[in-house]
Amino acid sequence: MEIEFHDREREIKEITRILYSRPDLITFVYGPINSGKTELFQYFIRKLPDEFVVFYINLRHVYVSKAEDFLKILFDIRGRRVSVKAIAKEVIETYVPREVVTPLGRFPIPKNVFKELFKEKAIENVFVYLENLLREIAKKRKPILILDELQKIGDVKIDGLLIYELFNFFIGLTKESHLAHVFAITSDSLFIERVFAEAMLHGRCRYLLVDDFDYETTAKFLEKYGFSIEEIELAWEYLGGKPIYLVEAVKNRDRLREFCEGLVRLRKRQIKDLFYRLDEEFRKSVLDILSQFRDEETITYEYLTSELTWCVRNNILFLDPTNEIIKPQSRIDLLAVRKILSEIS
């Protein structure tokens, strides 16, 4: 069964508004894991008119341990000696939006130029090449740069951290030269907390939350596949508005309750296994945090503790620094935590 992309009207409207305004700010796109961030942008890219050119780099399934790894991911190496203008002309004439997502929509570069950049290992030279290429493309079309799962390079070092060099490059493309729109997507809320606190980004970025569906959107989605009111209520109780779980619910409609209960049981086992690896004192502190979700679905926070960081890093909780709230990564996580708390008490 093919599942259709469903209702992201608010987010699409906001992205469209950004794209039709002058590039001024970096847009950080964040949200709980599996909330549909990547799917949203892949859908949106395919619908863009010809006036745009998208470079979409997905770091999700690649290993980046050093700057050289990142350079290899950025570029599509061409085997002939041509100028930046010729490369830009080729991009403008051959770009097809629906093909940019797979394979990666990387930056074309002549082999000889790439060898020089790689030999010198000077990241600033890489950014000069990219800016020159984008500047040529911008004469005919509007460039968009999208980096998915940007947190993968958060700890990669050159002379300093690569991420700070990249932030400076993004600021140059948006705030300073207004040359290209930049979207940085992440499901790592600790990374967003780090970005949020970064002084160099103040006044130079915006945040776009792509959250799980609310109840109304969830109900409309399930109604399309013939779910009754009772089935919708059951799915919402166990799965909430997590898109990936709702898709699986449609596929498992004939055994919906068994499917939902199985997910909670599995997640409870996984979280308990994580608890067993902690020393007793730290485990108690973690449980003190999680106990706040006995009767609440979201709580506020003022600062990060080591216990809270542990919960977020292990994808039990999602931290939203722009709204100063914490909540479970999913309804499944909430129910699993409540069952664990009930067993302990």
Side-chain angles (χ1 to χ4, degrees):
M1 176 187 295
E2 185 175 350
I3 308 295
E4 297 178 4
F5 178 83
H6 183 72
D7 192 3
R8 286 292 188 180
E9 184 178 343
R10 180 188 67 82
E11 292 88 350
I12 288 174
K13 184 177 180 180
E14 176 62 12
I15 297 168
T16 302
R17 184 194 66 77
I18 291 169
L19 291 184
Y20 281 96
S21 60
R22 187 178 73 166
D24 284 317
L25 301 171
I26 307 163
T27 303
F28 285 96
V29 182
Y30 73 107
I33 57 174
N34 296 320
S35 64
K37 297 175 290 296
T38 296
E39 184 181 10
L40 166 64
F41 272 83
Q42 290 183 352
Y43 173 86
F44 190 80
I45 288 169
R46 295 186 180 99
K47 301 295 183 181
L48 279 173
D50 290 343
E51 65 188 280
F52 295 98
V53 169
V54 178
F55 295 95
Y56 174 86
I57 313 294
N58 193 336
L59 302 173
R60 182 185 304 274
H61 301 299
V62 296
Y63 178 69
V64 182
S65 64
K66 53 187 182 297
E68 291 92 326
D69 297 333
F70 182 63
L71 296 186
K72 290 177 181 177
I73 295 162
L74 277 181
F75 292 114
D76 176 14
I77 302 171
R78 307 293 170 90
R80 58 194 185 281
R81 292 175 177 267
V82 293
S83 66
V84 171
K85 286 187 177 181
I87 288 283
K89 184 174 184 291
E90 182 180 331
V91 170
I92 291 166
E93 292 177 350
T94 62
Y95 173 78
V96 180
R98 66 179 176 273
E99 295 178 356
V100 76
V101 176
T102 306
L104 294 177
R106 296 180 289 191
F107 294 94
I109 186 171
K111 189 173 184 179
N112 62 302
V113 176
F114 179 81
K115 283 185 174 180
E116 285 300 312
L117 293 178
F118 197 82
K119 182 174 65 176
E120 294 173 5
K121 297 182 180 179
I123 198 72
E124 60 269 20
N125 293 340
V126 172
F127 293 150
V128 168
Y129 171 81
L130 292 178
E131 183 171 350
N132 289 337
L133 177 61
L134 291 170
R135 194 173 297 280
E136 288 297 322
I137 293 171
K139 292 176 181 178
K140 297 290 185 179
R141 293 194 182 189
K142 300 174 182 178
I144 304 170
L145 173 57
I146 303 173
L147 281 94
D148 205 343
E149 298 296 342
L150 181 62
Q151 77 281 352
K152 291 285 291 292
I153 66 166
D155 296 321
V156 174
K157 292 184 178 180
I158 38 175
D159 294 331
L161 286 176
L162 173 60
I163 195 72
Y164 293 117
E165 299 290 339
L166 200 58
F167 286 162
N168 274 321
F169 177 57
F170 291 166
I171 292 167
L173 291 181
T174 55
K175 186 78 173 177
E176 294 174 0
S177 66
H178 316 293
L179 187 59
H181 289 286
V182 177
F183 294 88
I185 306 172
T186 182
S187 56
D188 185 338
S189 53
L190 290 177
F191 178 74
I192 282 293
E193 168 73 19
R194 177 176 164 187
V195 167
F196 193 73
E198 180 54 57
M200 70 182 292
L201 292 172
H202 288 174
R204 293 167 171 174
C205 67
R206 65 170 68 86
Y207 299 90
L208 175 62
L209 173 64
V210 179
D211 209 342
D212 297 338
F213 293 153
D214 58 20
Y215 176 80
E216 182 180 1
T217 306
T218 299
K220 287 180 179 178
F221 173 80
L222 295 176
E223 283 170 357
K224 289 199 305 185
Y225 299 97
F227 275 52
S228 67
I229 294 297
E230 291 75 16
E231 288 171 322
I232 291 171
E233 292 293 336
L234 175 62
W236 177 255
E237 170 60 26
Y238 278 90
L239 310 177
K242 184 72 71 181
I244 193 170
Y245 289 151
L246 298 178
V247 169
E248 291 304 307
V250 172
K251 297 176 182 178
N252 290 273
R253 186 184 171 193
D254 59 337
R255 50 185 289 275
L256 184 59
R257 181 173 291 278
E258 179 186 353
F259 167 72
C260 292
E261 291 177 348
L263 287 177
V264 175
R265 189 164 52 250
L266 174 62
R267 188 58 179 147
K268 186 187 77 168
R269 179 72 264 171
Q270 291 170 337
I271 294 173
K272 287 180 73 173
D273 285 346
L274 291 170
F275 284 169
Y276 292 145
R277 301 172 195 173
L278 302 176
D279 65 64
E280 186 175 352
E281 184 176 349
F282 192 78
R283 185 189 310 131
K284 183 179 182 302
S285 298
V286 168
L287 287 171
D288 285 342
I289 291 174
L290 295 179
S291 65
Q292 298 176 74
F293 294 99
R294 287 183 189 274
D295 303 307
E296 302 291 340
E297 296 190 5
T298 64
I299 60 174
T300 60
Y301 79 103
E302 294 182 3
Y303 57 91
L304 279 175
T305 63
S306 57
E307 294 84 3
L308 178 54
T309 299
W310 183 90
C311 291
V312 176
R313 183 172 291 122
N314 284 283
N315 288 325
I316 300 169
L317 300 180
F318 167 70
L319 180 150
D320 182 352
T322 66
N323 295 303
E324 296 183 313
I325 64 168
I326 307 164
K327 64 180 182 178
Q329 282 281 0
S330 69
R331 182 77 182 172
I332 294 289
D333 287 281
L334 175 63
L335 296 179
V337 165
R338 285 177 174 175
K339 283 183 175 294
I340 291 170
L341 293 173
S342 177
E343 291 176 1
I344 291 173
S345 63

